[in-house]
Amino acid sequence: MKLLLDENLSPSLAGKLAERGVAASHVAHLGLSGATDPEVWSYAFDHDQIVVTAHASDFLRLADTGELHAGLVVFRAGALSRAEQWAWLEPVVER
């Protein structure tokens, strides 16, 4: 499993995921800060990564209109703290 964390999530999640043996990158670490959602989606597609984001409507629309993709994890709550983001993501990773 390879994850791409969107700009609206904490970059610190990448480290927590690495501790669990999950390959994860944050858009800020890839030079994609400020990239549009379609650009992030395309990057993830090209690198076989699951996008993790809090931009539900944008990425759900992209997922619905394109080719088969590695996946999408959507947080449907805004303004989550780093701890809350991890609390939401950890069960996904454990599953």
Side-chain angles (χ1 to χ4, degrees):
M1 169 181 358
K2 296 185 295 185
L3 301 178
L4 179 60
L5 304 169
D6 196 13
E7 197 163 32
N8 53 18
L9 300 177
S10 173
S12 68
L13 293 174
K16 288 186 174 289
L17 290 162
E19 291 171 4
R20 301 289 174 110
V22 176
S25 303
H26 191 278
V27 294
H29 300 148
L30 299 170
L32 293 172
S33 292
T36 65
D37 291 341
E39 290 169 335
V40 170
W41 185 253
S42 179
Y43 181 92
F45 182 85
D46 291 344
H47 294 87
D48 198 31
Q49 293 173 304
I50 298 167
V51 174
V52 183
T53 186
H55 287 159
S57 61
D58 298 339
F59 281 96
L60 288 171
R61 186 174 72 275
L62 287 166
D64 193 38
T65 60
E67 297 178 55
L68 186 60
H69 188 272
L72 178 64
V73 175
V74 177
F75 295 167
R76 289 186 168 256
L80 295 172
S81 70
R82 277 184 251 166
E84 290 170 325
Q85 290 175 12
W86 179 245
W88 284 42
L89 186 55
E90 185 178 26
V92 173
V93 172
E94 293 300 319
R95 183 123 170 95

